[in-house]
Amino acid sequence: MPLTITAITAAALALLLLGLAIETVKHRFRTQAAFGDAEDSRLIAATRSHGNLAEHAPIVLIMVGLLEYSGANATLVASIASIFVAARVTHVIGLHQKSEPGKAPIARQIGVIGTWLVMLALAGLLLFGALAG
């Protein structure tokens, strides 16, 4: 059985990750900062966007793949995977918005909460399936 949902999700996340990597390199050239963040807010946002996606995407892709492979409801799995991609894009937008010190933009908050809810939902579905199976 092909893992179509997982493949599409992985491709979307790979393209997003590549775009964020290019953005980070662009800001590194601009600031001449080979390491660190040069205390540059745009470089910080770029590296955080890239790093946050790199941290969360692998486990989500693994869980999506396991659910899809196990025969879970395809519409549900595709919906959850789509929400994850949307949450990560929203998080990137929020990280690049100006904000007051100590106050995260609403897009960033939505991105974080969306990511966490997706991870919780996927983990719950996997545990339910493992315990019921």
Side-chain angles (χ1 to χ4, degrees), residues 1-84:
M1 149 183 357
L3 298 176
T4 306
I5 297 166
T6 305
I8 292 169
T9 305
L13 293 172
L15 291 172
L16 181 57
L17 192 64
L18 179 60
L20 294 173
I22 291 168
E23 183 73 10
T24 299
V25 170
K26 181 179 89 174
H27 288 296
R28 288 203 178 283
F29 277 114
R30 181 182 56 76
T31 60
Q32 296 297 298
F35 299 101
D37 59 30
E39 297 183 20
D40 180 82
S41 63
R42 292 179 1 205
L43 177 55
I44 293 167
T47 57
R48 297 236 13 237
S49 298
H50 182 256
N52 283 180
L53 180 61
E55 290 172 356
H56 292 93
I59 190 64
V60 168
L61 278 173
I62 290 168
M63 290 191 288
V64 166
L66 288 169
L67 283 168
E68 187 175 15
Y69 184 76
S70 72
N73 181 289
T75 302
L76 178 63
V77 175
S79 297
I80 293 171
S82 297
I83 291 168
F84 178 72

Side-chain angles (χ1 to χ4, degrees), residues 83-84 87-88 90-91 106-120:
I83 291 168
F84 178 72
R88 293 287 77 205
T90 304
H91 183 259
I106 191 72
R108 184 174 170 195
Q109 294 174 38
I110 291 169
V112 169
I113 291 168
T115 296
W116 291 350
L117 289 175
V118 163
M119 292 174 77
L120 184 61

